[in-house]
Amino acid sequence: MILPLVILYVITLVYLAITERFRNFASIIGLQGWILFAVALLRLHAINPLELIFIAIETLAFKALLVPAILFAMIRKTKINRVRRSGSSQSGSLLLSLMALAVSASITYYIADSAIDLVFFGVALYALLSGLILIVLRSRIFSHMVGFLVIENGVFLFSMAIGVEMPLLINFAILLDILISVLMLGIFFTKIDGKIHADDADSLTNVKD
């Protein structure tokens, strides 16, 4: 049951590389939250029930509900709609994404450690590379924010890959994930709101880091 969820998660990362609408970005981030929630329930069923409840609530309430709601609020406030590409076509982004997938699979193939779940490790590495691709290739701040969120999800998957026997490691990764994500969302929201008038839909085009 976990494998189809992992495959679906990989598909969402590929889709992020080619989509241009910010509402699609926000929807995909929400879908990834639901996938991580389901994976946490299936993957961590043997650990302490209280820890499992904490992890499930974090993935459901924070990743699947709260973060997407904040992203949609930003979209409504700033009236941003589409990605402004910075010299990179959709085909170029897709090619880089597939190359990142191939690199992740290659690195995972050469890792021989029974303490690491190689499937989660490979997907986590691909998530990190996908987030970096979004940050590098996209010029708008909103895309950079989504890239950081994808990287944060990759960190969560890394903790799942190596931390099933160490629940405290997963809890620590979750707390760090929440802290960094809240700080990041606050900084980006302040930066966007400080430079953009809510009634000016076109002015966001000129906003750069």
Side-chain angles (χ1 to χ4, degrees):
M1 182 61 186
I2 291 181
L3 184 59
L5 293 174
V6 171
I7 294 174
L8 179 59
Y9 189 87
V10 171
I11 292 174
T12 64
L13 294 175
V14 175
Y15 183 73
L16 281 175
I18 60 175
T19 186
E20 292 186 345
R21 294 187 178 276
F22 286 134
R23 289 189 176 275
N24 293 343
F25 276 88
S27 298
I28 289 298
I29 290 297
L31 176 58
Q32 288 185 353
W34 283 101
I35 293 174
L36 293 178
F37 169 67
V39 168
L41 291 180
L42 294 172
R43 173 80 170 150
L44 305 175
H45 59 84
I47 70 173
N48 184 285
L50 290 178
E51 293 175 335
L52 177 59
I53 291 173
F54 171 73
I55 295 171
I57 290 177
E58 188 274 340
T59 52
L60 177 61
F62 187 75
K63 292 183 178 295
L65 299 176
L66 181 60
V67 170
I70 293 175
L71 295 179
F72 279 114
M74 289 184 182
I75 294 172
R76 290 192 298 270
K77 185 175 182 62
T78 60
K79 297 184 173 63
I80 54 179
N81 183 34
R82 298 177 69 88
V83 172
R84 182 191 180 193
R85 292 170 294 182
S86 54
S88 298
S89 64
Q90 285 179 297
S91 58
S93 298
L94 177 60
L95 179 61
L96 281 176
S97 180
L98 294 178
M99 289 176 60
L101 179 59
V103 169
S104 302
S106 299
I107 294 176
T108 304
Y109 178 78
Y110 287 103
I111 293 178
D113 192 337
S114 58
I116 299 177
D117 189 302
L118 297 182
V119 173
F120 282 97
F121 181 88
V123 175
L125 182 58
Y126 179 44
L128 261 64
L129 295 176
S130 297
L132 290 175
I133 290 173
L134 277 176
I135 294 171
V136 171
L137 294 186
R138 307 299 188 180
S139 62
R140 282 186 165 176
I141 296 174
F142 190 90
S143 303
H144 298 173
M145 178 171 55
V146 172
F148 279 113
L149 290 172
V150 171
I151 291 175
E152 287 297 320
N153 287 342
V155 172
F156 178 82
L157 287 172
F158 268 126
S159 71
M160 296 282 287
I162 64 177
V164 174
E165 303 299 331
M166 296 177 287
L168 287 178
L169 177 62
I170 298 178
N171 293 337
F172 178 77
I174 288 174
L175 292 174
L176 183 63
D177 186 19
I178 292 175
L179 175 62
I180 294 178
S181 297
V182 169
L183 290 176
M184 181 191 64
L185 288 170
I187 291 172
F188 274 109
F189 189 82
T190 302
K191 189 171 183 180
I192 291 175
D193 190 50
K195 292 189 176 184
I196 302 301
H197 294 293
D199 295 327
D200 187 1
D202 296 326
S203 60
L204 185 62
T205 303
N206 299 320
V207 176
K208 298 182 184 293
D209 287 329

